[in-house]
Amino acid sequence: MPFKNRSNIGADLLLAKRLIQHGARPPIVSQLCHLTRKQSIAFFKTVQGQSPKQGMLPHDHQWAIRSAHNNIHASLFLGMIEGIRDRLPTPNLSANLLVAAYEIYINVASRMLADRQFIQPHSSQHYPLDINRAWYLITLLSTGDLVFILCGRCHARYLGMIHPDTAFSQCPICEVWTDRSGRRRWVSAKSKNHALNKPSAR
Ligand SMILES: [Zn+2]
């Protein structure tokens, strides 16, 4: 199976390996690492020792606002993406950017999960935000469906949503209450349907 004639195929394969180790599925690996779908699937089997999951990639555009917990993890990851991208000469989305931001995310997330006495995740697939969903969230940020908002009360930077069928903005740190199981709940789930003005702060 010949690879496309590219001078930096070695770098692409190294990045593909890291993406796959974090659970990235073949369509994403193909797109970011210049491999054909067939090559990505074969490489996935080699790295993971099993066939990739079939079916659609994560595409729930409301995932980041479904719970305060999701929002914290999405805000953390996309904050990394923005932070790294702002320092790059060409702010294009690349395999490097996704891998770098995701590795910082799982580093921070594993400490958060350990603090909350959860079992230490053994693979990226067990973090609240898996890398395939992380990839989808980047596209939502790029299209403006997800926007960063600065909380006027606690100054946390979190994600709100501006979408034709959903507008939502609640701080996952201070506009929540904790139920008996210890889960953070939005103060008002009903406000999901309230109109949201475009925030001035990112
Ligand atoms: Zn807040």
Side-chain angles (χ1 to χ4, degrees):
M1 186 164 50
F3 287 105
K4 291 172 191 168
N5 186 20
R6 288 172 47 84
S7 56
N8 54 350
I9 186 68
D12 279 343
L13 286 177
L14 278 176
L15 279 168
K17 185 180 172 194
R18 280 166 75 187
L19 283 170
I20 292 167
Q21 283 170 334
H22 290 308
R25 286 169 55 190
I28 294 173
V29 176
S30 298
Q31 192 178 337
L32 288 175
C33 301
H34 313 99
L35 302 177
T36 66
R37 186 68 69 93
K38 248 184 161 176
Q39 287 166 342
S40 293
I41 292 170
F43 204 39
F44 187 100
K45 287 180 184 166
T46 306
V47 174
Q48 288 276 11
Q50 59 186 18
S51 294
K53 202 172 137 188
Q54 299 293 314
M56 289 174 77
L57 292 169
H59 62 282
D60 175 8
H61 69 274
Q62 293 191 19
W63 186 86
I65 58 163
R66 290 210 182 274
S67 71
H69 177 74
N70 288 4
N71 197 287
I72 288 171
H73 284 269
S75 301
L76 179 63
F77 171 73
L78 289 181
M80 305 293 177
I81 287 284
E82 281 216 329
I84 298 171
R85 198 148 56 173
D86 286 349
R87 288 168 180 78
L88 294 177
T90 48
N92 298 332
L93 180 61
S94 65
N96 259 319
L97 176 61
L98 179 60
V99 165
Y102 195 73
E103 287 181 352
I104 299 171
Y105 160 73
I106 56 176
N107 226 312
V108 178
S110 57
R111 262 177 273 159
M112 284 164 61
L113 297 173
D115 284 350
R116 293 185 60 189
Q117 297 177 325
F118 279 103
I119 298 160
Q120 189 81 3
H122 293 297
S123 77
S124 305
Q125 283 91 325
H126 297 115
Y127 288 98
L129 179 58
D130 111 311
I131 195 165
N132 302 291
R133 190 181 303 284
W135 162 256
Y136 180 60
L137 291 182
I138 296 172
T139 63
L140 292 177
L141 187 69
S142 306
T143 54
D145 290 324
L146 285 175
V147 289
F148 270 111
I149 295 168
L150 192 64
C151 176
R153 207 180 311 172
C154 75
H155 305 293
R157 222 165 142 257
Y158 66 92
L159 289 165
M161 168 151 268
I162 301 175
H163 189 269
D165 63 275
T166 321
F168 184 79
S169 167
Q170 273 186 59
C171 174
I173 307 295
C174 63
E175 289 180 277
V176 291
W177 60 281
T178 307
D179 70 12
R180 283 186 184 176
S181 69
R183 193 174 300 177
R184 285 159 177 256
R185 304 269 185 195
W186 295 119
V187 168
S188 168
K190 286 179 190 157
S191 67
K192 274 187 183 179
N193 299 320
H194 287 180
L196 175 73
N197 294 323
K198 241 191 158 82
S200 52
R202 291 174 71 222

